[in-house]
Amino acid sequence: MAERRPRPAAKGPGRYVRGRTPLAAKGPAPEPQAAAEPAEIGSVVEAALYRDGVRVSSPGTLAEAFRELREQPEGMAWIGLARPTEPELLSLAAEFDLHPLAVEDALEAHQRPKLERYGETLFVVLRATRYLDAPEEIDFAELHVFVGPDFVITVRHGAAPDLSAVRSRMEASPELLRLGPEAVLYAILDAVVDGYAPVVAGVQNDIDEIETEVFRGDPEVSRRIYELSREMVEFQRATRPLVGMLHGLMAGFSKYGTDDELQRYLRDVADHVTHTSERVDGFRQALTEILTVNATLVTQQQNAEMRALAEAGFEQNEELKKISAWAAILFAPTLVGTIYGMNFDHMPELHWIAGYPFAVLLMAVVCVSLYVIFKRRDWL
């Protein structure tokens, strides 16, 4: 971080141009009474001024924070906002000379984690997470941090992380807070990374449950695997860029004169991020393998069901053969009896003495012949 310098006077609204365009040319410094005074800002979660690691003031409005910071050149302002509107961020941009590209990113949100340096100001985008036990889902939130020589501005889009806990932790460690805005940035990074641990534990538990459901044959497990895989993609997008960001910060330790103790803290955060990123990569690989196993088991189950259906169909065909064979055998004597049972006066063999024995013999011969034929063809 660059060496701190005295606070300049507030800049006029003409210093900031909305959109991806360069800053307007500097004109003569405006009179103090002509400077744009920020209105009451409802998205301000908390604003505080610190000197030598101790809170000296808690301004109620941004106007008071700006004024008190100008009056205390050695102080540091820490302003936290939640889902601010464009006018709210523009007032901060005019006061702290924030780059318009960074302000636009903070307004639009939905950014990937990154670290950008604009002169003496760092702009950091972080993706915080929390695990929701009831729906067994990961909730992603976005956090933007502006770090200047004597200020830290946090813009939160979502519920995580709990920056009030971060502020309380830093205020309880004045020796760390005395190191300035970089120490606050470390504390925020540490809180975001620590928030990944419960998510990792929750995902590990989900994967264990999914493995059990896969081998139990739960029909809904495929959908759960796909949903968790999609969350792991988002989790990777949150953690993987953070590894490079922290290594970039560490590469600038010597150039920007970062305190030795703070360097050790940041290296510890980098180690945790690397470990988390490796765990997330392992989760994705495990889910891919589980999905493959599930597909194999589903295919085997479908094959077994098809085989069972084929066997059932074969058994039905065998039964139909037997029924058809016996029906044909019984049909033969019925046909002979029907013909000789017709009451016509002029019928052959009607008054034949051997007619009855002949008809019975004929029916027996036909039935036996059909039985032998069906038996040889394994129909009976």
Side-chain angles (χ1 to χ4, degrees), residues 127 129 140 229-239:
R127 295 292 301 279
T129 61
F140 294 91
S229 297
R230 186 178 67 251
E231 290 181 341
M232 287 303 96
V233 172
E234 291 296 321
F235 204 3
Q236 272 189 327
R237 292 173 180 172
T239 58

Side-chain angles (χ1 to χ4, degrees), residues 306-370:
M306 293 296 294
R307 185 166 55 251
L309 289 174
E311 291 175 355
F314 176 78
E315 292 177 358
Q316 290 178 352
N317 289 337
E318 292 299 313
E319 294 298 326
L320 286 175
K321 286 180 181 179
K322 293 179 181 180
I323 294 173
S324 301
W326 284 112
I329 292 172
L330 295 175
F331 175 74
T334 302
L335 176 62
V336 174
T338 301
I339 293 174
Y340 283 97
M342 292 186 294
N343 297 318
F344 292 105
D345 292 334
H346 303 285
M347 285 187 62
E349 298 91 19
L350 185 61
H351 300 286
W352 186 26
I353 298 175
Y356 176 74
F358 176 78
V360 173
L361 178 63
L362 179 62
M363 288 187 284
V365 170
V366 172
C367 289
V368 171
S369 300
L370 290 175

Side-chain angles (χ1 to χ4, degrees), residues 197-316:
V199 177
V200 169
V203 171
Q204 181 64 67
N205 184 66
D206 287 346
I207 291 178
D208 293 341
E209 292 179 355
I210 286 174
E211 289 178 341
T212 303
E213 293 173 359
V214 165
F215 290 102
R216 195 170 56 198
D218 192 329
E220 297 295 328
V221 69
S222 297
R223 180 176 181 178
R224 190 176 182 188
I225 294 173
Y226 280 117
E227 290 175 349
L228 190 56
S229 297
R230 186 178 67 251
E231 290 181 341
M232 287 303 96
V233 172
E234 291 296 321
F235 204 3
Q236 272 189 327
R237 292 173 180 172
T239 58
R240 185 174 291 176
L242 198 52
V243 176
M245 290 166 54
L246 285 165
H247 282 88
L249 278 176
M250 291 188 293
F253 284 164
S254 300
K255 179 178 180 180
Y256 297 102
T258 305
D259 182 83
D260 292 341
E261 186 69 12
L262 192 56
Q263 290 184 28
R264 285 189 283 269
Y265 286 142
L266 287 170
R267 289 193 185 98
D268 182 66
V269 175
D271 290 341
H272 290 171
V273 170
T274 301
H275 176 70
T276 300
S277 180
E278 290 173 352
R279 290 291 303 276
V280 175
D281 292 342
F283 288 155
R284 283 204 65 186
Q285 181 64 30
L287 287 170
T288 301
E289 294 173 355
I290 291 173
L291 188 61
T292 302
V293 171
N294 182 63
T296 302
L297 293 176
V298 170
T299 301
Q300 291 178 350
Q301 182 180 1
Q302 291 175 344
N303 291 339
E305 292 175 353
M306 293 296 294
R307 185 166 55 251
L309 289 174
E311 291 175 355
F314 176 78
E315 292 177 358
Q316 290 178 352

Side-chain angles (χ1 to χ4, degrees), residues 132-163:
L132 305 178
D133 291 323
E136 295 185 333
E137 295 177 351
I138 303 176
D139 179 43
F140 294 91
E142 196 166 325
L143 177 65
H144 300 227
V145 186
F146 296 90
V147 183
D150 55 358
F151 67 87
V152 176
I153 302 171
T154 59
V155 180
R156 197 177 64 193
H157 296 274
D162 183 8
L163 294 181

